[in-house]
Amino acid sequence: MWGEDDVADDDGLMGDIMRRVEALSGRLAAAGWLTQNRVKAALHDVPRHVFAPPVAWTGDGDRVSKQADPEE
């Protein structure tokens, strides 16, 4: 979960995170991927990195791994 050190103010870090979560849930809903309110609630309640796969590729074709890059 988010710690007190992660909270700046409503217009700071947490405000930015919440705007990004709303944008993500809006795009997922518009695409028909977000159909259950409990999943939308989870997007708001659970840090985004929990939803990330253990390995992914960037748009540039670079491999990103939670194990190799735990801080990213």
Side-chain angles (χ1 to χ4, degrees):
M1 287 293 179
W2 305 108
E4 288 183 26
D5 294 339
D6 296 322
V7 178
D9 55 58
D10 287 342
D11 293 327
L13 177 63
M14 289 306 292
D16 182 53
I17 290 169
M18 294 312 296
R19 283 188 293 276
R20 289 172 184 251
V21 168
E22 265 310 304
L24 173 63
S25 64
R27 285 191 306 251
L28 291 172
W33 288 92
L34 185 58
T35 59
Q36 297 179 350
N37 287 334
R38 64 189 179 120
V39 177
K40 182 176 181 179
L43 285 173
H44 286 274
D45 295 340
V46 179
R48 287 175 56 186
H49 71 274
V50 174
F51 290 99
V55 177
W57 283 262
T58 68
D60 296 329
D62 295 327
R63 182 178 183 270
V64 179
S65 165
K66 283 185 178 181
Q67 186 175 24
D69 306 309
E71 296 299 319
E72 303 209 11

